[in-house]
Amino acid sequence: MSGSANLLSATVPDSSAGRRFDAVLAELFPDYSRSRLSAWIKSGDARLDGREVRPRDPVRGGEAVTLTVVLDVQTHSEPEDIALDVLHEDEHVFVINKPAGLVVHPGAGNPAGTLVNALLHRDPSLNALPRAGIVHRLDKDTSGVMVIARTLPAHTALIEQLSSREVHRQYLAVVVGALVSGGTANAPIERHPRDRIRMAVRDDGKDAVTHFRLRERFRAHTLLECRLETGRTHQIRVHMAHLKHPIVGDPLYGGPLKLPKGATPELIEALRGFRRQALHAEVLEFAHPVSGEPVRCSAPVPDDMRGLVRALHNDAVAAKQDGR
């Protein structure tokens, strides 16, 4: 099933004589990834002087290049009318505030009711993009800001920014333990060797770096501001657990409930009732994929997490007043 097609053309510069066709094509059409351009060469949608050639074939310089941009259906999920909190929207990108509890991608346990289904309802043309334009993800029970590409060039540009660590991603996390300072977790992450649901710090893992600083310190917990330098699965959750300061409410990495001595009834209720990881993607900043202008969006802290922080703050104030 095919979507729209668009014919583009260019001329091979004389200075490219002798170089591979795929390398020259990537320079002529930088809006598209090398893998997609290579697929279009192999399918005959990218031609040199009207001829089908191989990716490795050399160019002479001066040839006409034609590229038929064919956008096939990449995402076969059904559109669903699910409300979205849109923070920014233009013809190239969406930025949304994802609520906790919303799964990003359909899967075996969640074939419907996901962010992908909601996006396809809002913009049906997203079915021509990989993962409906989603270039990074948040865990089901992590709330906050996400960017979604609406065109293939925007998708390519955002993926490149993420891979080159040019996207600013700032999170809020409530962790166990009263930290005295911020720091950096620089520990590689890979799938857990025995539990396939979990990730773990492993020597053979992928490079993973999280910077964190104190936003507010309580008696036995800390509100942290975390900045991702890399974007591994469960990265902040794994790093904080590795540092022995797991995120409050984290069902995979959090450990048993810990209450400070003499905790207020408000705090006891807030901690016992918080059933998701206390993690919120607060700020996302990136260069607009077309204009290059900075786009900065922030998502307000959700009510459940604000209530938890308020209870922690009130407990600390009460303890100080009581001399505890």
Side-chain angles (χ1 to χ4, degrees), residues 2-208:
S2 295
S4 59
N6 188 25
L7 183 64
L8 305 176
S9 61
T11 302
V12 176
D14 292 337
S15 59
S16 295
R19 297 180 59 207
R20 291 172 56 117
F21 179 50
D22 56 359
V24 174
L25 194 69
E27 291 178 2
L28 292 174
F29 302 101
D31 284 346
Y32 304 101
S33 67
R34 285 179 176 265
S35 60
R36 187 168 285 269
L37 289 170
S38 180
W40 282 333
I41 295 172
K42 293 171 183 174
S43 66
D45 291 308
R47 293 173 176 251
L48 191 66
D49 271 344
R51 296 178 291 108
E52 289 190 30
V53 295
R54 296 169 298 181
R56 68 173 183 270
D57 285 350
V59 299
R60 299 187 312 276
E63 300 102 319
V65 177
T66 55
L67 177 65
T68 304
V69 176
V70 182
L71 298 181
D72 295 325
V73 171
Q74 302 285 317
T75 306
H76 294 275
S77 300
E78 291 297 318
E80 292 182 55
D81 189 2
I82 300 169
L84 290 174
D85 181 6
V86 179
L87 303 174
H88 171 90
E89 177 179 0
D90 60 44
E91 61 184 306
H92 306 287
V93 295
F94 283 128
V95 183
I96 66 153
N97 177 19
K98 186 189 87 68
L102 180 63
V103 175
V104 172
H105 298 291
N110 300 280
T114 72
L115 177 58
V116 166
N117 301 106
L119 289 169
L120 291 173
H121 180 269
R122 189 174 182 99
D123 182 356
S125 69
L126 290 174
N127 69 359
L129 299 184
R131 297 176 179 268
I134 293 170
V135 293
H136 66 119
R137 64 186 290 270
L138 295 176
D139 298 330
K140 173 187 174 184
D141 288 325
T142 298
S143 55
V145 62
M146 288 181 63
V147 61
I148 294 98
R150 299 184 71 179
T151 66
L152 199 52
H155 187 272
T156 303
L158 289 170
I159 290 285
E160 175 59 31
Q161 285 187 52
L162 285 161
S163 63
S164 58
R165 306 184 184 184
E166 295 170 356
V167 177
H168 175 75
R169 286 175 287 174
Q170 178 179 306
Y171 291 69
L172 283 182
V174 181
V175 301
V176 176
L179 280 76
V180 296
S181 66
T184 295
N186 187 348
I189 290 175
E190 191 50 81
R191 189 72 58 184
H192 193 283
R194 293 178 299 280
D195 186 346
R196 305 306 294 172
I197 296 176
R198 295 161 59 96
M199 306 298 288
V201 169
R202 292 174 46 174
D203 291 339
D204 61 346
K206 296 176 181 175
D207 180 37

